[in-house]
């Protein structure tokens, strides 16, 4: 897990504030995926990005959520005007440039978001 | 949407016992992956199975892919406390998404 870096590990926000979650993929990986996980549940796909492109955002709510993966720097998952229901663990994963259907993903250790 | 159902949802066993967990779908998988997730950490890939009927072994863990590629099982022999964690199966659809199962939460009691 050490290869994919997520920060912060824990983030506390009050309702209505903005949350920014960062993900630096493993070296050499240009594909990034964001997932959301509630306690004792599996991971739910949110968005898939390549450098400077959103490839698939079908799992991400249309309002308040956005994601980017700039040419330089980490991928950012941004949640505006947070509500209590946004409390969850958010995981980022990356895969190599040549990733195909069988290419596994490497996960970070997640950001635990708590909304007061 | 490709639904992956895992069973059992929770499993608590004594150290030294054997166990099997299952991952099932109504759809055919092109491949399937098993991950283990420990509390406070991200999932870690255990194995990828690709061919129907394939069996892979990883020390005390045996993974099997169904002949029809619609189901998979994970068997652990002589479970140890270090095996405790959430076991997730995952598969990728024809698009870009990985679908994860609901998970089996395993607790091995010393």
């Amino acid at each position: 897990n050490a290869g994919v870096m997520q920060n912060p590990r824990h983030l506390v926000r009050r309702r209505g504030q903005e949350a920014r979650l960062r993900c630096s993929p493993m070296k050499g990986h240009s594909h990034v995926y964001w997932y959301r996980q509630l306690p004792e549940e599996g991971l739910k796909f949110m968005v898939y990005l390549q450098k400077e492109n959103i490839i698939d955002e079908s799992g991400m709510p249309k309002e308040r959520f956005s994601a980017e993966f700039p040419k330089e720097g980490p991928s950012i998952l941004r949640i505006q005007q947070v509500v209590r229901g946004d409390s969850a663990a958010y995981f980022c994963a990356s895969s190599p440039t040549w990733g195909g259907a069988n290419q596994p993903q490497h996960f970070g250790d997640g950001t635990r978001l708590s909304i007061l | 949407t490709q639904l992956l159902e895992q069973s059992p949802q929770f499993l608590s066993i004594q150290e030294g016992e054997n166990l099997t967990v299952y991952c099932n779908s109504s759809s055919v998988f092109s491949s399937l992956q098993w991950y283990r997730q420990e509390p406070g950490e991200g999932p870690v890939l255990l194995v990828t199975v690709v061919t129907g009927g394939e069996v892979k072994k990883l020390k005390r863990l045996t993974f099997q892919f169904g002949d029809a590629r619609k189901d998979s099982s994970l068997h652990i022999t002589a479970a140890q406390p270090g095996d405790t964690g959430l076991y997730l199966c995952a598969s990728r659809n024809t698009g870009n998404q990985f679908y994860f199962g609901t998970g089996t939460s395993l607790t091995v009691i010393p």
Side-chain angles (χ1 to χ4, degrees):
Chain A
N1 284 348
V4 178
M5 304 302 294
Q6 288 188 250
N7 68 82
R9 288 296 307 275
H10 300 274
L11 182 61
V12 179
R13 285 287 179 266
R14 295 189 181 277
R15 282 178 296 171
Q17 291 184 321
E18 178 181 287
R20 282 192 177 222
L21 288 62
R22 295 174 182 78
C23 169
S24 296
M26 285 183 70
K27 187 177 181 180
H29 289 192
S30 62
H31 298 225
V32 166
Y33 306 78
W34 284 94
Y35 295 85
R36 170 189 163 109
Q37 185 179 36
L38 294 173
E40 300 295 337
E41 292 188 6
L43 282 74
K44 295 291 192 291
F45 168 83
M46 297 182 72
V47 62
Y48 164 42
L49 309 101
Q50 294 180 17
K51 284 283 188 181
E52 300 184 277
N53 284 304
I54 296 174
I55 306 303
D56 185 340
E57 56 182 348
S58 59
M60 196 160 65
K62 296 285 189 292
E63 297 180 355
R64 301 190 298 109
F65 285 73
S66 62
E68 63 177 12
F69 189 15
K71 185 177 180 180
E72 301 291 337
S75 175
I76 306 287
L77 179 66
R78 182 183 178 200
I79 311 173
Q80 295 179 293
Q81 299 175 333
V82 295
V83 300
R84 288 222 172 107
D86 296 332
S87 295
Y90 292 84
F91 287 93
C92 167
S94 71
S95 64
T97 306
W98 58 87
N102 297 336
Q103 184 64 50
Q105 299 181 331
H106 299 266
F107 283 84
D109 284 337
T111 293
R112 272 91 187 146
L113 177 63
S114 298
I115 308 302
L116 303 179
Chain B
T1 299
Q2 185 166 323
L3 183 63
L4 298 175
E5 296 184 355
Q6 290 189 245
S7 61
Q9 186 176 2
F10 297 97
L11 186 58
S12 182
I13 62 170
Q14 294 289 332
E15 182 176 0
E17 292 184 348
N18 302 331
L19 66 113
T20 302
V21 299
Y22 301 91
C23 175
N24 295 285
S25 174
S26 57
S27 302
V28 175
F29 304 126
S30 60
S31 65
L32 187 133
Q33 299 171 350
W34 283 94
Y35 292 82
R36 180 171 69 212
Q37 183 180 22
E38 298 188 22
E41 299 183 7
V44 175
L45 178 69
L46 297 174
V47 77
T48 300
V49 287
V50 178
T51 306
E54 182 176 5
V55 177
K56 282 192 174 179
K57 292 193 174 185
L58 184 65
K59 296 183 180 178
R60 294 176 294 100
L61 278 61
T62 301
F63 304 85
Q64 186 159 6
F65 202 14
D67 291 340
R69 306 204 324 269
K70 297 173 71 174
D71 59 271
S72 181
S73 64
L74 159 58
H75 181 80
I76 302 179
T77 304
Q80 299 178 1
D83 296 327
T84 293
L86 180 67
Y87 288 82
L88 297 162
C89 61
S91 183
R92 194 165 186 164
N93 64 3
T94 53
N96 303 303
Q97 297 187 22
F98 267 95
Y99 289 97
F100 279 82
T102 48
T104 292
S105 180
L106 172 65
T107 301
V108 181
I109 303 167

